[in-house]
């Protein structure tokens, strides 16, 4: 009798407990929310920082920039940093992507202070995924991080508050891209109550489905909740293979926590549209789907801020035909609303314009696949080549194989960002360097030239004949765009897994679905096993350690840094802390710095001075070792910090870029950009470089001109410095690639190093043609 009762109890209780567990797990009741994270309440040694400032000044003693350096010091920062409050950052921190776990905002504070040794930085989590609680904690983190900085008039580091406005669309006419919003002040009364998102919720229709997939991961640790892989795992277990059916308890807890995060996303309530920002409920999600709506809301708040576009040429999410023209037309005051632009990050270099396009448009507005040139091979064209090559290998006629290639190219154009799915059994190697800029420095994946910085500086909008044509006058900055709460990651070229966003390449089903048969014909997307989405794995060759912004500031305090940003006396670097001055020299030898806007009717004269970055010593400085425990130093910094030695890297040359903005809408932008206009060699072994130049064509041309410079160091090993690592034939065409491997898919420790020339980009000097006395 007792045994029967026990069995009956077991029959009822065990399934009941399982159901209860499944319910609690899927509803996030077993998960924990992220908090601010640890913030070490200890500033860096003021005497050490003072010594570094003096060393910077002494380095310029032999340069014409010495007088300027006595008044303004160069400070380095990062105005684009994500924590795992951002959805994509949290996602890649999970065990299924071999992630190292969550990194809340407090980690970013400690990393910026003790690992990268920055002078300033900002937190910029995606507004679309920030809950009211997380926004409140973000503001508190910023205040705590600043409280640890010492004297506010001479802090060891300044922390700014911000968010990222993250907008995308599949069609170019609806696409605007991503923008960081950074605020000068941090007090509760001086910042918005809510961040402003581009979309009302992160997954308008997908949160419930995603949570369902997470349930499967809880049960069997399956990436992305793919049911077929769950069944395959069960099959192999039943056949006696050594397969771990269930994740261990620590792994399960990380998934529980992520489900709690997803549940919080699902509970976000959208703000009503229409009321002024201060009349909206406190705990709702405010949104602005277009830049003009974002700018209007920011103006409604009225707080000092900067809106900084970034990643606009990154083909991962930018449609092939997207251009700056639409945004310029929509901005009511582009010079005020978007004063700076991020030219370089860990996702690549958005600088350079090229004539080619990934998709062509004929006179009737129809899309077509452009034929290859010496400069560019379109993805759609390569897709046809892959099918034709397979077809010919099977002995089919050339005519039949060409027909299949044409069909493949046409079908590719219909797939948006999912064209690789129509090629059965394709691999990253099959695509060679299709879709990529062949002669750009560390270009982003699938670079979109008409969304580049150079294109934006060259165009004007002439629609309103009652006012001067609108134009962008950007100052130029660099940033990391780190999704691991690691601000300023570019100080050493190592640890690709932690110092770059390479884990993003693991997203998407293609990272864990085995290759299908290599068929000699394409498969329409709707029949491609239901799969779609970007080619994540191919991007592994395009993630770097990221860049920095440098400011010429009259002090270390918040106000001095902000004023430098506002006057655009700023420049970008590819990660190395190069020193750069770019001035317009007046007849009386007075100097106007980068970012200046002047009017002249005679040939302008310019002066550039540059110093290479200090070579790095291994390990971390004493300040960092004293402040952080050994475990925390290892987890955040990987045991390697910004640790400058005494020798500077040599500057190889100064390149001058001249852009003459349009004077008519029909002007071909390619004819207006001279890159490089001048290339001026530097002598010496790191003691500095100074060059002067003028533009004798300026007065005769009688048109405005924009000048900026690049200072290039001698080549040095750089993560993904050669991107796909092409092997070229005698004609300069890529015939074989050695792509940087996806880390989670292999046991690789390959940092994919290749020699590249680290560089700094000045902000432009804008010289408008006209009488300087008017």
């Amino acid at each position: 009798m007792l045994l029967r009762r026990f069995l009956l109890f077991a029959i009822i209780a065990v399934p009941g407990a399982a159901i209860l567990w499944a319910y609690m797990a899927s509803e996030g009741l077993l998960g924990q929310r992220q908090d601010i994270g640890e913030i070490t309440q200890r500033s860096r040694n003021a005497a050490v920082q003072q010594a570094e400032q003096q060393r910077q000044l002494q380095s310029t003693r032999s340069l014409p920039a010495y007088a300027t350096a006595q008044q303004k010091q160069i400070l380095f920062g990062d105005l684009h940093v994500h924590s795992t409050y951002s959805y994509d950052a949290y996602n890649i921190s999970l065990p299924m992507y071999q992630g190292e776990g969550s990194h809340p905002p407090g980690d970013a504070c400690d990393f910026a202070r003790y690992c990268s040794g920055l002078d300033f930085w900002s937190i910029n989590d995606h507004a679309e995924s920030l809950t009211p609680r997380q926004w409140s904690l973000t503001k508190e983190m910023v205040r705590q991080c600043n409280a640890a900085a010492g004297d506010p008039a001479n802090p060891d580091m300044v922390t700014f508050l911000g968010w990222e406005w993250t907008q995308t669309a599949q069609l170019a006419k609806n696409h605007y891209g991503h923008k960081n919003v950074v605020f000068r002040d941090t007090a509760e009364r001086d910042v918005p109550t809510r961040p402003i998102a581009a979309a009302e919720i992160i997954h308008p229709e997908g949160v419930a489905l995603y949570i369902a997939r997470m349930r499967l991961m809880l049960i069997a640790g399956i990436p992305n909740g793919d049911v077929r892989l769950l069944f395959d795992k069960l099959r192999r277990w039943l056949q006696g293979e050594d397969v771990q059916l269930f994740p261990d308890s620590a792994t399960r807890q990380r998934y529980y926590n992520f489900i709690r995060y997803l549940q919080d996303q699902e509970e976000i309530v959208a703000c009503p549209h229409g009321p002024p920002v201060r009349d909206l409920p406190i705990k709702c999600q405010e949104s602005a789907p277009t830049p003009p709506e974002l700018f209007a809301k920011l103006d409604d708040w009225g707080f000092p801020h900067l809106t900084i576009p970034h990643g606009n040429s990154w083909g991962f999410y930018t449609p092939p035909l997207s251009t700056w023209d639409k945004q310029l037309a929509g901005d009511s005051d582009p010079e005020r609303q978007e004063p700076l632009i991020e030219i370089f990050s860990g996702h690549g270099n958005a600088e350079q314009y090229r004539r080619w396009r990934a998709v062509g448009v004929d006179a009737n507005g129809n899309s077509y696949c452009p034929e290859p040139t010496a400069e560019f091979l379109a993805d759609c064209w390569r897709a046809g080549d892959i099918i034709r090559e397979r077809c010919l290998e099977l002995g089919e006629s050339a005519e039949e194989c060409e027909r299949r290639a044409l069909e493949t190219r046409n079908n590719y154009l219909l797939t948006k960002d999912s064209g690789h799915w129509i090629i059965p059994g394709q691999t990253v190697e099959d695509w060679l360097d299709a879709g990529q800029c062949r002669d750009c420095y560390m270009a982003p994946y699938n670079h979109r030239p008409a969304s580049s910085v150079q294109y934006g500086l060259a165009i004007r909008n002439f629609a309103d004949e009652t006012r001067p044509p609108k134009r962008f006058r950007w100052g130029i900055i660099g940033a990391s765009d780190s999704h691991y709460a690691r601000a300023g990651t570019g100080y050493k070229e190592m640890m690709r897994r932690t110092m770059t966003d390479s884990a993003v390449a693991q997203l998407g089903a293609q990272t864990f679905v085995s290759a299908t048969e290599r068929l000699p014909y394409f498969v329409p997307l709707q029949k491609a096993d239901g799969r779609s989405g970007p080619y994540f794995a191919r991007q592994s060759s395009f993630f770097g350690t990221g860049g920095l912004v440098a400011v010429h500031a009259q002090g270390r305090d918040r106000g001095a840094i902000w004023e430098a940003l506002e006057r655009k006396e700023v420049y970008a670097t590819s990660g190395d802390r190069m020193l750069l001055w770019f001035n317009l020299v007046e007849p009386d030898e007075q100097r106007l710095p980068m970012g200046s806007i002047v009017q002249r009717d005679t040939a302008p004269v310019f002066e550039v001075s540059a110093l290479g970055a200090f070579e790095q010593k291994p390990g971390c400085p004493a300040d960092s070792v004293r402040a952080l425990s050994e475990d925390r130093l290892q987890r955040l910094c990987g045991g390697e910090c910004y640790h400058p030695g005494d020798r500077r890297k040599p500057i190889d040359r100064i390149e001058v870029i001249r852009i003459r903005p349009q004077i008519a809408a029909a002007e071909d932008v390619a004819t207006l950009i001279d890159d490089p206009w001048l290339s001026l060699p530097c002598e010496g072994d790191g003691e500095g470089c100074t060059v002067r130049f003028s533009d004798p064509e300026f007065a005769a041309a009688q048109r405005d001109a924009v000048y900026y410079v690049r200072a290039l160091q001698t080549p040095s090993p750089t993560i993904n410095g050669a991107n796909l690592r092409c092997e070229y034939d005698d004609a300069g065409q890529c015939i074989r690639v050695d792509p940087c491997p996806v880390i989670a898919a292999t046991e690789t420790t390959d940092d994919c190093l290749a020699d590249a020339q680290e560089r700094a980009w000045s902000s432009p000097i804008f010289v408008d043609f006209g009488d300087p006395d008017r």
Side-chain angles (χ1 to χ4, degrees):
M1 179 66 72
L2 207 53
L3 179 60
R4 287 184 194 171
R5 288 179 180 177
F6 175 78
L7 290 174
L8 181 61
F9 173 79
I11 290 171
I12 297 172
V14 172
I19 293 171
L20 177 63
W21 169 83
Y23 171 79
M24 294 180 68
S26 63
E27 293 297 312
L29 300 177
L30 300 180
Q32 300 171 355
R33 293 183 174 94
Q34 297 179 86
D35 57 17
I36 290 176
E38 181 181 345
I39 298 177
T40 303
Q41 293 297 310
R42 175 175 178 162
S43 62
R44 297 198 296 265
N45 189 312
V48 173
Q49 286 196 302
Q50 181 66 26
E52 285 298 312
Q53 182 181 341
Q54 286 301 312
R55 185 160 74 147
Q56 182 183 113
L57 179 61
Q58 290 303 315
S59 297
T60 67
R61 187 172 289 277
S62 62
L63 303 177
Y66 180 64
T68 301
Q70 288 178 299
Q71 301 172 9
K72 300 173 185 175
Q73 57 186 300
I74 296 178
L75 305 175
F76 291 94
D78 186 353
L79 297 179
H80 190 174
V81 183
H82 296 271
S83 75
T84 45
Y85 280 8
S86 288
Y87 166 79
D88 50 355
Y90 202 169
N91 196 16
I92 60 176
S93 79
L94 294 173
M96 65 180 180
Y97 299 123
Q98 296 184 358
E100 58 189 67
S102 64
H103 281 290
D107 283 1
C109 172
D110 274 7
F111 187 94
R113 176 167 279 128
Y114 302 115
C115 302
S116 55
L118 294 181
D119 299 304
F120 63 96
W121 73 288
S122 69
I123 187 73
N124 306 95
D125 281 311
H126 296 289
E128 292 70 26
S129 58
L130 281 173
T131 65
R133 175 182 177 273
Q134 289 173 325
W135 178 240
S136 178
L137 292 176
T138 298
K139 292 185 287 186
E140 179 59 27
M141 179 281 299
V142 168
R143 293 163 193 151
Q144 288 186 25
C145 194
N146 283 317
D151 181 3
N154 188 37
D156 74 329
M157 184 176 74
V158 173
T159 302
F160 291 99
L161 174 68
W163 68 71
E164 178 178 320
W165 181 84
T166 311
Q167 193 274 348
T168 61
Q170 286 201 333
L171 299 178
K173 66 179 182 179
N174 301 322
H175 178 85
Y176 297 99
H178 301 181
K179 304 178 192 294
N180 286 324
V181 181
V182 181
F183 293 88
R184 183 188 66 189
D185 302 314
T186 62
E188 192 65 35
R189 64 181 180 278
D190 297 327
V191 297
T193 305
R194 300 161 300 276
I196 303 169
E200 291 183 347
I201 53 176
I202 189 169
H203 295 299
E205 300 174 354
V207 170
L209 174 60
Y210 206 91
I211 289 175
R213 288 177 172 178
M214 290 303 109
R215 293 172 185 163
L216 288 174
M217 283 189 285
L218 288 169
I219 295 170
I222 297 298
N224 283 2
D226 191 291
V227 177
R228 290 165 301 179
L229 291 184
L230 174 61
F231 288 149
D232 180 67
K233 193 171 186 179
L234 288 170
R235 176 188 58 78
R236 290 187 289 120
W237 179 73
L238 290 171
Q239 290 177 348
E241 294 186 31
D242 185 15
V243 176
Q244 182 182 357
L245 274 183
F246 302 100
D248 58 39
S249 59
T251 300
R252 284 200 303 273
Q253 187 60 52
R254 289 169 65 182
Y255 287 129
Y256 292 153
N257 296 345
F258 188 56
I259 290 178
R260 175 71 268 172
Y261 174 89
L262 291 173
Q263 284 293 128
D264 289 344
Q265 302 297 313
E266 194 173 31
E267 293 166 7
I268 291 175
V269 176
C271 295
H273 295 283
V277 293
R278 287 176 173 80
D279 293 343
L280 295 171
I282 293 176
K283 293 186 177 181
C284 65
Q285 186 186 60
E286 195 171 350
S287 63
T290 66
E293 291 169 280
L294 171 66
F295 301 146
K297 284 181 174 291
L298 290 169
D299 286 345
D300 192 3
W301 280 113
F303 301 125
H305 68 276
L306 296 167
T307 304
I308 308 170
H310 68 270
N312 293 78
S313 75
W314 189 22
F316 167 61
Y317 59 77
T318 304
L321 298 177
S322 185
T323 79
W324 278 110
D325 299 87
K326 171 180 76 276
Q327 297 208 45
L328 183 58
D331 291 1
S332 61
D333 189 358
E335 296 182 40
R336 177 183 67 86
Q337 292 164 332
E338 299 184 89
L340 303 173
I341 190 166
E342 182 184 295
I343 198 170
F344 186 85
S345 77
H347 297 174
N349 174 20
E351 177 189 11
Q352 291 164 299
Y353 177 71
R354 297 292 183 266
R355 286 182 181 273
W356 47 260
R357 299 291 185 272
V359 176
V361 179
D362 64 22
N364 297 318
N366 299 314
S367 298
Y368 66 90
C369 185
E371 294 187 13
T373 66
E375 293 78 29
F376 184 70
L377 170 64
D379 282 318
C380 54
W381 195 272
R382 180 58 190 159
D385 285 352
I386 294 170
I387 293 302
R388 182 179 58 204
E389 290 164 6
R390 294 179 184 178
C391 176
L392 291 172
E393 287 174 2
L394 293 177
E396 299 286 352
S397 69
E399 181 180 5
E400 169 60 18
C401 295
E402 189 56 40
R403 183 190 66 79
R404 294 186 192 180
L406 179 61
E407 285 185 344
T408 302
R409 291 173 186 137
N410 291 336
N411 194 267
Y412 189 103
L413 295 176
L414 303 176
T415 66
K416 308 301 182 188
D417 61 355
S418 305
H420 57 290
W421 289 114
I422 73 171
I423 309 298
Q426 56 79 38
T427 66
V428 172
E429 290 79 2
D430 287 331
W431 296 91
L432 301 177
D433 66 344
Q436 312 312 318
C437 184
R438 289 175 169 170
D439 61 345
C440 295
Y441 168 74
M442 294 188 72
Y445 172 72
N446 280 1
H447 181 56
R448 308 302 191 202
S451 292
S452 66
V453 173
Q454 290 181 346
Y455 184 88
L457 288 170
I459 62 171
R460 280 177 164 152
N461 180 273
F462 302 89
D464 188 349
E465 297 180 357
T466 65
R467 57 175 284 182
K470 291 189 293 184
R471 62 186 290 193
F472 293 115
R473 292 189 193 261
W474 291 313
I476 290 175
I477 73 168
S480 68
D481 197 0
S482 168
H483 284 65
Y484 295 99
R486 291 186 168 107
T489 44
Y491 53 87
K492 290 177 180 174
E493 293 293 322
M494 56 174 51
M495 298 182 288
R496 179 169 68 98
R497 178 65 181 84
T498 55
M499 295 299 178
T500 78
D501 272 1
S502 59
V504 172
Q506 302 168 53
L507 299 174
Q510 64 269 45
T511 61
F512 57 82
V513 173
S514 58
T516 57
E517 184 180 356
R518 295 171 64 84
L519 301 175
Y521 47 81
F522 79 90
V523 177
L525 189 63
Q526 62 268 27
K527 296 181 180 179
D529 210 14
R531 304 198 181 282
S532 64
Y535 204 158
F536 286 94
R538 203 166 174 231
Q539 293 181 69
S540 189
S541 296
F542 295 85
F543 289 110
T545 55
L548 292 172
V549 53
V551 302
H552 289 265
Q554 293 176 326
R556 292 189 59 86
D557 61 286
R558 175 180 303 275
I561 294 169
W562 190 263
E563 288 167 6
L565 291 165
E566 285 192 316
R567 65 176 180 264
K568 304 174 191 174
E569 200 171 344
V570 300
Y571 63 93
T573 87
S574 56
D576 267 7
R577 298 182 199 192
M578 305 165 63
L579 304 183
L580 178 66
W581 296 263
F582 175 43
N583 300 309
L584 185 145
V585 183
E586 298 280 48
D588 62 359
E589 290 296 308
Q590 293 294 309
R591 288 166 171 77
L592 300 178
M594 62 180 80
S596 295
I597 302 173
V598 300
Q599 190 163 288
R600 296 288 184 272
D601 57 7
T602 58
V605 177
F606 302 94
E607 184 177 77
V608 185
S609 291
L611 280 163
F614 283 117
E615 294 179 352
Q616 291 294 301
K617 296 187 290 187
C620 296
D623 241 9
S624 302
V625 174
R626 282 194 296 264
L628 301 181
S629 69
E630 184 176 347
D631 287 347
R632 188 157 176 79
L633 194 70
Q634 188 62 41
R635 183 170 192 267
L636 292 186
C637 318
E640 294 289 344
C641 307
Y642 178 68
H643 196 10
D646 297 321
R647 182 177 175 81
R648 288 189 178 273
K649 302 176 184 178
I651 300 291
D652 178 60
R653 65 186 183 276
I654 304 294
E655 294 181 339
V656 183
I657 295 82
R658 183 182 68 178
I659 299 174
R660 300 198 248 194
Q662 290 174 321
I663 56 176
E667 275 196 295
D668 180 4
V669 167
T671 66
L672 307 177
I673 300 169
D674 299 314
D675 179 14
W677 176 55
L678 298 173
S679 184
L680 307 170
C682 292
E683 305 296 335
D685 59 356
E687 295 305 312
C689 173
T690 295
V691 297
R692 274 201 179 196
F693 65 91
S694 66
D695 184 358
E697 302 169 338
F698 177 79
Q702 296 191 10
R703 62 186 296 164
D704 300 348
V706 178
Y707 305 87
Y708 72 92
V709 299
R710 291 188 295 251
L712 280 67
Q713 290 182 165
T714 53
S716 59
T718 303
I719 291 176
N720 275 328
N723 294 134
L724 289 162
R725 300 187 283 195
C726 274
E727 178 185 332
Y728 297 95
D729 63 14
D730 293 339
Q733 297 298 299
C734 182
I735 57 173
R736 190 173 294 104
V737 295
D738 179 21
C740 195
V742 177
I743 291 176
T746 67
E747 297 299 324
T748 183
T749 56
D750 185 1
D751 275 342
C752 304
L753 294 171
D755 278 353
Q757 290 190 275
E758 297 258 11
R759 59 198 61 197
W761 298 260
S762 77
S763 283
I765 294 177
F766 302 88
V767 185
D768 296 346
F769 183 79
D771 185 347
D773 297 324
R774 293 182 62 183

